[in-house]
Amino acid sequence: MTVCKTSAQIIHQIEEELDEDEKEVILFLCRDLAPDLVTKLDLRDLLCTLNEKGKLSPAGLAELLYRVRRFDLLKKIMKTDRASVEASLVKCPRLVSDYRVLMTQLSEDMDKSEVTSFGFLLRDYMGGGKTHKNKSFLDVVIDLEKVNLIAPDKLDLLEKCLKNIHRIDLKKKIQKYKQSVLGANYMNEIQASLPSVGLMNSVYALELKNGMSKEERPIFGQHGISKAVKTSIQESEKSSPQVTSEEYRLKSQPLGICLIIDCTGNNSDPLKDTFTSLGFDVQYSRHLNTTEIGETLYQVSCLSKHQDYDIFVCILISRGDSENIFGKDQRCPGFPLHQIRKFFTGDACPLLLGKPKLFFIQNYVVPEDHKEPNSVLEVDGRGGKVSYNGWTPRNSTIHQEADIFWSLCKVNVSVLEKSPSSPSFYLCCLSQLLHQPKERRCSLLNLHIDLNNRIYDWNSTVAPEEQYSILSEHTLRKNIFLSYR
């Protein structure tokens, strides 16, 4: 049978579009196809060689792009789409083994510190002189394969190390692979390890069986969830530069949800346009009362979309006091400011664990003597740990309060009342700074410094009651770059 080959032009186009991390993954995926060549050739030459030997059809190349989630290249270069590739993978033989796919998924779900710990544990098996410092997880796996410590049917050591670094969720992924790929032998192994008889044994075995799925991506209701799920680039042009390990990966399309809650009704239109242009899925609510603010934050924190996105942004504009926001009804004590971000911490919103969460709050402060009489607001505490379909977040090496950027701007409510149709100067400056083109992009922290400078310049020209004050704090672990498209 004649194998349909791929043109050199297509291979060249694809190789130019891929970043270094994606090339590394594809080289790893192809190791079984050309074990004697994969370490000697770069990606383009390897693909060309496989193509010439009849081992790389267009369908196979599309599968490789699918494995690194470059759905934009499937559409732009391969003239197909994600759904077509998924249908083909079900019906036709696959280019890449399930074992290789599993290893790349584990790699995506581990951060740098975990890979370092994983490599250190291997000193007991590979000798103290063997170092895995500064190597990626896939590099370490290759080293283990060379000495026959890891193979498609030999994963006990990997399971043990994952357990020791407290990544039980990833250990369970391996168990699913064993059950689905290795079949009956693995089930016999599981049954032999269980006590002889008992209701719990049957429940456990049923749980393993029902947990099987061809879809490896973790979802609520399964035993675990990936801490840092690699997100896909959808079917559009690749627009962001190569991401280094020192910056958050922002490649999904949309980038993430941008929730805008405008309780004043005059500040949000420019922000909607800005964050839509930045590539966000903008969700907008206007004129909410105090209770509705909490309801909206909770509902958005529960959205399953966060699983596919790389970032979350919340913009909230309201009257308030030093500790609370009031919503349209100006109830006191209002909704606590500190409660806003608690809806999106790692334990409350596990799909955002390890991903940046940005908050920009414009609070028009109402003087004490202008407040309406107190009415008690009961916060139901849903900003704490949430259970989805019976699943609760696992323990993680990432702190639950990590990856948060908080920018709170206060100004006297008289500024709003004096000019109800004028937007916040703080938010206008934020919008303008975010419109920088890609070639002039700067990190979020540097952008916020520029924002502070503009606010201070403004304050030097206006009366004290018209001056803005900004409080910013963060627990970011990497740089964030947002660039106007």
Side-chain angles (χ1 to χ4, degrees), residues 5-21:
K5 292 186 178 181
T6 306
S7 72
Q9 179 183 354
I10 288 179
I11 292 175
H12 175 73
Q13 286 178 311
I14 288 174
E15 194 269 345
E16 284 195 324
E17 292 277 359
L18 297 172
D19 65 30
E20 293 305 314
D21 289 339

Side-chain angles (χ1 to χ4, degrees), residues 251-264:
K251 287 192 173 183
S252 63
Q253 290 194 4
L255 287 178
I257 291 172
C258 174
L259 172 64
I260 300 176
I261 299 177
D262 183 1
C263 299
T264 65

Side-chain angles (χ1 to χ4, degrees), residues 128-148:
K130 181 67 176 178
T131 176
H132 298 287
K133 188 176 181 181
N134 298 325
K135 285 193 173 185
S136 69
F137 176 77
L138 295 182
D139 287 334
V140 177
V141 169
I142 291 170
D143 287 343
L144 294 172
E145 289 176 343
K146 290 177 181 177
V147 293
N148 199 32

Side-chain angles (χ1 to χ4, degrees), residues 214-382:
K214 291 182 179 178
E215 175 59 76
E216 292 295 332
R217 185 177 60 181
I219 56 175
F220 291 127
Q222 292 178 319
H223 302 296
I225 183 168
S226 297
K227 172 173 59 57
V229 180
K230 180 181 179 181
T231 52
S232 59
I233 300 182
Q234 306 296 336
E235 297 170 6
S236 61
E237 296 286 343
K238 181 182 179 184
S239 58
S240 57
Q242 180 177 330
V243 177
T244 72
S245 61
E246 299 304 318
E247 65 182 85
Y248 288 100
R249 183 182 181 91
L250 301 181
K251 287 192 173 183
S252 63
Q253 290 194 4
L255 287 178
I257 291 172
C258 174
L259 172 64
I260 300 176
I261 299 177
D262 183 1
C263 299
T264 65
N266 72 331
N267 284 267
S268 52
D269 287 341
L271 291 167
K272 287 166 61 180
D273 295 341
T274 295
F275 280 90
T276 298
S277 298
L278 286 169
F280 283 84
D281 172 6
V282 177
Q283 300 195 10
Y284 172 64
S285 297
R286 179 180 285 188
H287 299 308
L288 301 186
N289 62 36
T290 311
T291 301
E292 290 169 339
I293 291 173
E295 297 270 350
T296 300
L297 291 168
Y298 175 71
Q299 290 168 6
V300 171
S301 73
C302 292
L303 292 176
S304 61
K305 290 181 180 181
H306 295 304
Q307 176 170 303
D308 296 318
Y309 297 163
D310 287 342
I311 189 173
F312 170 73
V313 173
C314 176
I315 301 169
L316 205 156
I317 310 149
S318 178
R319 294 173 176 85
D321 60 20
S322 60
E323 304 292 338
N324 309 279
I325 51 176
F326 298 152
K328 69 176 183 179
D329 48 356
Q330 292 190 234
R331 285 201 301 169
C332 303
F335 191 90
L337 282 164
H338 69 83
Q339 189 75 14
I340 296 171
R341 53 186 167 189
K342 287 188 177 180
F343 286 94
F344 302 95
T345 54
D347 52 352
C349 184
L351 288 182
L352 287 173
L353 183 65
K355 302 177 183 179
K357 298 159 278 282
L358 317 182
F359 298 86
F360 301 96
I361 314 296
Q362 175 63 77
N363 188 8
Y364 291 97
V365 179
V366 178
E368 289 291 330
D369 56 350
H370 290 186
K371 291 182 183 177
E372 293 185 2
N374 279 0
S375 59
V376 177
L377 172 65
E378 295 184 3
V379 178
D380 61 10
R382 290 185 296 187

Side-chain angles (χ1 to χ4, degrees), residues 80-99:
T80 185
D81 57 29
R82 175 179 181 175
S84 299
V85 175
E86 289 175 343
S88 176
L89 292 175
V90 172
K91 299 176 183 177
C92 306
R94 302 181 182 186
L95 179 71
V96 180
S97 70
D98 290 334
Y99 162 75

Side-chain angles (χ1 to χ4, degrees), residues 56-254:
L56 186 70
S57 65
L61 187 54
E63 180 185 342
L64 292 176
L65 292 176
Y66 173 83
R67 297 302 182 192
V68 294
R69 296 185 174 92
R70 288 306 303 269
F71 308 134
D72 59 323
L73 300 185
L74 286 176
K75 182 176 182 180
K76 184 173 77 169
I77 299 178
M78 302 301 295
K79 308 304 180 186
T80 185
D81 57 29
R82 175 179 181 175
S84 299
V85 175
E86 289 175 343
S88 176
L89 292 175
V90 172
K91 299 176 183 177
C92 306
R94 302 181 182 186
L95 179 71
V96 180
S97 70
D98 290 334
Y99 162 75
R100 295 279 165 203
V101 172
L102 173 66
M103 292 301 107
T104 60
Q105 290 172 344
L106 297 180
S107 175
E108 292 167 5
D109 293 342
M110 294 176 68
D111 62 29
K112 188 174 181 180
S113 63
E114 289 170 330
V115 174
T116 301
S117 299
F118 176 76
F120 180 79
L121 291 172
L122 295 173
R123 293 167 66 92
D124 291 339
Y125 304 91
M126 300 186 71
K130 181 67 176 178
T131 176
H132 298 287
K133 188 176 181 181
N134 298 325
K135 285 193 173 185
S136 69
F137 176 77
L138 295 182
D139 287 334
V140 177
V141 169
I142 291 170
D143 287 343
L144 294 172
E145 289 176 343
K146 290 177 181 177
V147 293
N148 199 32
L149 287 175
I150 286 184
D153 60 349
K154 192 174 184 179
L155 297 172
D156 292 345
L157 173 59
L158 182 54
E159 284 187 75
K160 182 177 181 179
C161 290
L162 289 174
K163 179 181 179 181
N164 287 335
I165 64 171
H166 311 295
R167 291 306 304 267
I168 305 302
D169 58 319
L170 301 187
K171 178 183 175 182
K172 288 180 178 178
K173 275 194 173 187
I174 296 175
Q175 291 172 340
K176 285 185 181 182
Y177 161 82
K178 284 183 173 181
Q179 186 181 358
S180 62
V181 177
L182 305 183
N185 290 336
Y186 176 63
M187 287 306 297
N188 292 337
E189 177 185 325
I190 289 290
Q191 292 168 0
S193 67
L194 294 172
S196 55
V197 183
L199 176 62
M200 290 306 295
N201 301 343
S202 301
V203 172
Y204 179 63
L206 181 62
E207 189 178 68
L208 280 175
K209 182 177 179 181
N210 292 342
M212 286 279 299
S213 173
K214 291 182 179 178
E215 175 59 76
E216 292 295 332
R217 185 177 60 181
I219 56 175
F220 291 127
Q222 292 178 319
H223 302 296
I225 183 168
S226 297
K227 172 173 59 57
V229 180
K230 180 181 179 181
T231 52
S232 59
I233 300 182
Q234 306 296 336
E235 297 170 6
S236 61
E237 296 286 343
K238 181 182 179 184
S239 58
S240 57
Q242 180 177 330
V243 177
T244 72
S245 61
E246 299 304 318
E247 65 182 85
Y248 288 100
R249 183 182 181 91
L250 301 181
K251 287 192 173 183
S252 63
Q253 290 194 4

